């Protein structure tokens, strides 16, 4: 029921500010689903949540299958990728790893001002997005995509992606939470081109 309902969210693609959405079932718990949705800015997201989300949700036969929902919103703290690149990020990944890190203020400054710019300029980030929580201070998110399910990085628990190992990030932050999921292709929603 949830799977068929999630495939019905395609109408998101025409909503102003929407960039893309991807999701799938947790690798360790097949009763848990993860959804990652990206918006151009916080105003677009909040307008959708306050004015459109409930109407779409009520018209999709999905709610009886949902026992519990947890939501987090994060601001991308680096220059946002172009819309085309964002859409490619969503559709080109077969497996997604989501990790949340807790920093103290000094650690966060060093990570965002020194480590991340260095990794970006060296071209080492691959298909990874970084964001800071709107709700919890010093909570940082990474969403990393891989082309192949066979790659080892997607599966292990409490293991930092290779780009973080190279930057020795484990000395700067604690892994607060981590999830991996296999992408369900019929859950992917891409922004409709206006060209």
């Amino acid at each position: 029921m949830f799977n068929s309902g999630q495939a019905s969210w395609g109408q998101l693609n025409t909503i102003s500010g929407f960039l893309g959405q991807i999701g799938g079932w947790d690798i360790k718990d097949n009763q848990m689903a993860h959804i990652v949705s990206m918006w151009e800015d916080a105003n677009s997201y909040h307008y959708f949540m306050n004015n459109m989300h409930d109407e779409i949700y009520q018209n999709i036969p999905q709610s009886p299958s949902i026992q519990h929902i947890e939501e987090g919103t994060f601001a991308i703290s680096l220059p946002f990728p172009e819309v085309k690149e964002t859409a490619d990020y969503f559709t080109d990944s077969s497996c997604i790893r989501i990790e949340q890190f807790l920093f103290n203020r000094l650690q966060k400054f060093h990570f965002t001002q020194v480590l991340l710019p260095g990794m970006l300029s060296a071209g080492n980030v691959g298909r990874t997005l970084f964001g800071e929580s709107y709700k919890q201070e010093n909570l940082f998110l990474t969403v990393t995509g891989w082309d192949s399910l066979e790659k080892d990085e997607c599966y292990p628990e409490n293991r930092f992606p290779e780009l973080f190992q190279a930057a020795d990030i484990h000395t700067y932050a604690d892994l607060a939470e981590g999830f991996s999921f296999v992408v369900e292709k019929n859950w992917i929603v891409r922004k409709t081109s206006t060209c």
Side-chain angles (χ1 to χ4, degrees):
M1 183 182 291
F2 182 88
N3 183 67
S4 60
Q6 194 58 41
S8 301
W9 283 87
Q11 58 194 295
L12 286 172
N13 65 1
T14 61
I15 295 175
S16 177
F18 175 79
L19 294 180
Q21 182 166 283
I22 194 170
W25 299 105
D26 189 89
I27 286 177
K28 293 190 172 185
D29 181 356
N30 63 9
Q31 298 298 307
M32 180 185 297
H34 301 285
I35 307 295
V36 179
S37 182
M38 293 184 65
W39 296 78
E40 287 179 359
D41 52 49
N43 288 337
S44 298
Y45 171 72
H46 290 304
Y47 181 84
F48 164 72
M49 291 301 294
N50 293 331
N51 299 284
M52 301 172 164
H53 175 275
D54 289 355
E55 182 178 349
I56 297 173
Y57 182 70
Q58 289 166 6
N59 291 325
I60 294 174
Q62 193 177 29
S63 58
S65 65
I66 300 174
Q67 295 180 0
H68 178 70
I69 296 176
E70 289 186 20
E71 172 197 17
T73 53
F74 294 80
I76 300 301
S77 59
L78 301 167
F80 203 83
E82 304 231 343
V83 170
K84 180 180 182 303
E85 294 174 350
T86 303
D88 288 345
Y89 167 86
F90 282 113
T91 57
D92 291 348
S93 298
S94 296
C95 186
I96 300 290
R97 177 74 178 163
I98 302 171
E99 293 181 307
Q100 296 182 37
F101 302 94
L102 282 171
F103 293 83
N104 64 39
R105 185 163 47 174
L106 207 59
Q107 291 168 332
K108 187 174 84 169
F109 177 85
H110 186 76
F111 180 62
T112 58
Q113 303 302 314
V114 179
L115 293 180
L116 277 183
M119 288 188 286
L120 285 172
S121 63
N124 291 332
V125 297
R127 210 161 28 249
T128 302
L129 300 175
F130 306 89
E132 294 182 61
S133 173
Y134 280 113
K135 297 178 180 179
Q136 183 176 343
E137 189 176 2
N138 299 327
L139 182 65
F140 212 81
L141 174 84
T142 66
V143 181
T144 308
W146 284 275
D147 297 330
S148 170
L149 301 182
E150 283 71 43
K151 291 206 172 181
D152 293 338
E153 296 94 335
C154 191
Y155 296 93
E157 185 176 2
N158 298 328
R159 177 176 173 183
F160 293 93
E162 287 182 1
L163 68 103
F164 289 157
Q165 293 175 4
D168 202 25
I169 191 178
H170 60 277
T171 64
Y172 295 97
D174 295 320
L175 179 61
E177 198 167 26
F179 301 103
S180 298
F181 65 85
V182 176
V183 174
E184 292 286 337
K185 295 299 183 185
N186 64 340
W187 295 9
I188 295 173
V189 184
R190 290 183 64 163
K191 178 184 177 70
T192 298
S193 175
T194 55
C195 298

